[in-house]
Amino acid sequence: MKKQFAVIGLGRFGGSICKSLVSEGMDVLAIDQDEDKVNEFAPIVTEAVIADSTDEKALRSLGVRNFDHVIVAIGDNILASILTTLILEEMNVKHITVKAQNDYHEKVLSRLGADEIVHPERDIGIRIAHNVVSKNVLDY
Ligand code: ATP
């Protein structure tokens, strides 16, 4: 059976995750409070819905608790990211991945029990620095 993913927040990070999951043949429910974002992703994903993920009732009515994996891709609004993660944890969602904006955010997410915390800007910076150094070493 196809795995079912929900992606909350359709910025550059969440949007790129949605596109990659779809290209891997997964079912994707995309959620954002911004109507324009939802309209942009509606033709790409399985279903796109306008909702505020800090509204527990809205998440329940979308059946988010039954998804295999929920990705919280809200960056700037740290409070919304934390509240959303808390609601998902209380719903016993199987697997929750959350994008962290900074180390404090990461610490709170980890306390809340997020299964996976990603820090894309930091991680890519580390990888690029590593690649640049290895390339320079090879060049000498
Ligand atoms: P990125 O770094 O991925 O490009 P961004 O800077 O474009 O992100 P963010 O502020 O991280 O934007 O938010 C990502 C998306 O999350 C936005 O499209 C925003 O509308 C959405 N979002 C923020 N809060 C909520 C919420 N409570 N419910 C649903 N969507 C939300």
Side-chain angles (χ1 to χ4, degrees):
M1 223 175 83
K2 268 195 198 175
K3 263 199 156 190
Q4 299 210 303
F5 289 83
V7 177
I8 301 174
L10 303 172
R12 283 165 301 173
F13 177 68
S16 117
I17 289 191
C18 282
K19 287 176 187 161
S20 302
L21 288 171
V22 168
S23 74
E24 303 265 350
M26 303 296 151
D27 272 335
V28 179
L29 166 67
I31 300 169
D32 202 294
Q33 62 188 4
D34 178 340
E35 188 178 354
D36 291 342
K37 292 275 179 192
V38 171
N39 288 339
E40 182 188 336
F41 280 85
I44 301 167
V45 296
T46 318
E47 199 183 350
V49 179
I50 304 167
D52 175 356
S53 60
T54 64
D55 177 352
E56 185 172 350
K57 270 193 200 154
L59 286 190
R60 284 197 185 276
S61 72
L62 290 170
V64 169
R65 61 187 289 272
N66 300 317
F67 280 69
D68 297 301
H69 196 147
V70 180
I71 295 149
V72 182
I74 300 170
D76 290 345
N77 190 344
I78 293 178
L79 182 57
S81 162
I82 290 170
L83 277 174
T84 301
T85 306
L86 180 65
I87 293 169
L88 295 171
E89 279 293 339
E90 285 180 343
M91 281 178 174
N92 290 320
V93 168
K94 276 186 224 139
H95 197 103
I96 307 171
T97 297
V98 193
K99 172 186 163 174
Q101 198 70 359
N102 56 47
D103 291 346
Y104 298 113
H105 187 191
E106 185 166 354
K107 212 167 174 179
V108 176
L109 295 171
S110 137
R111 283 284 182 120
L112 289 178
D115 299 287
E116 191 180 7
I117 300 163
V118 292
H119 212 134
E121 288 88 352
R122 186 188 65 189
D123 297 347
I124 287 172
I126 292 170
R127 203 179 315 155
I128 290 176
H130 180 74
N131 289 346
V132 169
V133 170
S134 348
K135 191 174 173 296
N136 281 344
V137 168
L138 287 176
D139 286 348
Y140 284 121

